[in-house]
Amino acid sequence: MPEENTEELVALATDAYVYGCPLVHGLSTVDDFMQTGIGPLPPTPFNRFAHSEQQASPRTACVTVDHDTVHSVAHLDLSGGPLLLHVPDTDGAYYVLQFVDAWTNNFAYVGHRATGTAAGDWLVAPPGWSGGVPGTVRGVIDAPTSVVCVIGRNVCDGPDDMGRVRALQAQLTLTHVEPGTHRTGLPAPDPDVPEPLRFFERLRVWMADFPPSAADRAYQDRFQPLGLLEEGPSPYVSVDHPALVHALTEGLARGRARVEEAGRSSAAGRGWEMDPHLFDYNLDHYGVGALDSPQWRIEDRESSYLTRAMVARTWLWGVHGYEAVYAHTLRDADGERLNGAHSYVLRLDRQPPVGAFWSMTMYDVPDHRLVGNPLGRYSIGDRTPGLVHGEDGSLTIHIRRERPADRAAAANWLPAPDGDFRPVLALYEPGPEILDGVYEIPALERAGGGDGSGRTER
């Protein structure tokens, strides 16, 4: 291995961490999913769907868990050939299947916005596949990598709606098109690699098995001095190059710090924070339902690597902004932290312009979990029954701990916890006004009481 200036090697290893973090973190999550499951989803092998059996609740062990939709997740192994995906007819109800490659790039969508809600079959093909396409399929989804994550979301309007959702889940199937050998797990890194170097061992092994786009391969060629392009036995089991060991361990630390800094928010503003372009780091591969437009691409490739790494660490498998955006806030209109010791109102002169639906979900801080309450209401939105609107069509949402005494305020009540909290406003299929910033979400205003009169019903 050629000698390099130590600081140059450290800088190179730092870049390698930022570049490879999404691959390592994403596939490590896939491996954990298949072994132990994630949250309410049970451990599930390749090429089978795992389904949530109920809406999320405060008992769900996930951070900022989605309460509007119920998840179905499958990890596909296409090394043995394509798979046939069947989707049921949802009769107009919102759903989306999001396709994510091994590098965490969103490259295709099937569902309400992208392809409609009718039943049909889709062929999911591996890289370089050129076989015959059955005439019955609606289309071909060309995968950039041989392992693909499919993240499904079905809208659910409460416990009484779960029967409908479960019936749809049962019709969501994957079938092998050709006979072949399908692996049961991911390529295994060498277990004898010392712990401080295991990130780079995973990166080396998985980078070889799941090559990225040609442009990315040209970038990763820079990492040759780090041993990341070596094939065969691991170069990290017994390293006799002290400068390299130092560069890898220091680069790992600096890379993590760079990614954490990129994801840090001051949280000092008075309004809502929202970034419709947080997931625009896919620059090379656009399949069914993915928008191939400069508007949805990060212009600078190296900047895209940092954004992709930050998202992989903080919001893995989120969707493009044109599918859904999420606004959140920690402060009221005066810049003060939101806290259950006070009451707040959100006044919407007109509801958010969306193509599907919107809702606001309550999470506590710092755990970012759903907030238990006697009403069993964890979110409120345009699908919430019994909301009371003003004569001009406006909507006032009341956010507080205790149920308001006023009947209209109680109908529009989103319960808050005792301490600090963080509401998240989910906007599914946001309209141009949201994406362009023309529609502004009003800040939460502190009120004297949950019903505007200071009265409380206990």
Side-chain angles (χ1 to χ4, degrees), residues 254-278:
R254 292 188 190 181
R256 284 175 172 165
R258 183 186 294 176
V259 172
E260 289 175 5
E261 179 63 28
R264 190 170 292 123
S265 168
S266 65
R270 302 180 181 186
W272 296 79
E273 294 184 39
M274 178 178 68
D275 186 355
H277 298 286
L278 192 59

Side-chain angles (χ1 to χ4, degrees), residues 75-99:
H75 301 296
L76 312 187
D77 165 36
L78 305 172
S79 62
L83 290 167
L84 196 65
L85 166 69
H86 177 76
V87 297
D89 185 352
T90 67
D91 194 27
Y94 178 85
Y95 87 98
V96 63
L97 293 176
Q98 164 199 2
F99 293 77

Side-chain angles (χ1 to χ4, degrees), residues 98-293:
Q98 164 199 2
F99 293 77
V100 189
D101 71 11
W103 292 83
T104 71
N105 296 305
N106 298 326
F107 67 91
Y109 297 92
V110 168
H112 184 272
R113 174 197 61 83
T115 59
T117 62
D121 294 324
W122 298 87
L123 190 74
V124 188
W129 184 77
S130 58
V133 178
T136 56
V137 302
R138 291 184 60 186
V140 177
I141 298 170
D142 291 309
T145 54
S146 60
V147 162
V148 167
C149 303
V150 182
I151 316 299
R153 301 170 177 87
N154 273 293
V155 69
C156 182
D157 291 338
D160 293 341
D161 194 32
M162 274 305 304
R164 179 191 65 85
V165 172
R166 289 196 183 109
L168 294 173
Q169 291 174 332
Q171 299 174 66
L172 193 61
T173 60
L174 292 161
T175 308
H176 295 298
V177 176
E178 301 171 345
T181 302
H182 300 269
R183 57 186 155 202
T184 57
L186 294 169
D190 193 317
D192 294 329
V193 171
E195 175 61 34
L197 304 182
R198 287 183 183 174
F199 170 87
F200 292 102
E201 170 65 0
R202 293 188 183 98
L203 179 57
R204 181 188 73 89
V205 172
W206 290 339
M207 210 163 59
D209 213 64
F210 308 107
S213 67
D216 285 354
R217 285 199 297 271
Y219 179 84
Q220 73 183 28
D221 284 345
R222 304 167 55 241
F223 305 137
Q224 178 68 52
L226 302 174
L228 285 171
L229 304 185
E230 292 195 21
E231 300 179 358
S234 174
Y236 306 127
V237 172
S238 180
V239 185
D240 57 359
H241 192 330
L244 176 60
V245 173
H246 169 74
L248 292 174
T249 53
E250 180 64 17
L252 182 71
R254 292 188 190 181
R256 284 175 172 165
R258 183 186 294 176
V259 172
E260 289 175 5
E261 179 63 28
R264 190 170 292 123
S265 168
S266 65
R270 302 180 181 186
W272 296 79
E273 294 184 39
M274 178 178 68
D275 186 355
H277 298 286
L278 192 59
F279 299 91
D280 291 0
Y281 42 79
N282 174 19
L283 307 180
D284 303 300
H285 192 107
Y286 306 92
V288 173
L291 300 186
D292 181 3
S293 166

Side-chain angles (χ1 to χ4, degrees), residues 94 98 106 109 113 274-281 289 291 295-297 318-326 353-355 426-432 434-436:
Y94 178 85
Q98 164 199 2
N106 298 326
Y109 297 92
R113 174 197 61 83
M274 178 178 68
D275 186 355
H277 298 286
L278 192 59
F279 299 91
D280 291 0
Y281 42 79
L291 300 186
Q295 178 187 0
W296 299 105
R297 285 196 292 270
V319 296
H320 276 101
Y322 49 76
E323 186 68 38
V325 291
Y326 302 87
V354 294
L427 307 165
Y428 288 82
E429 299 180 21
I434 293 175
L435 298 177
D436 296 341

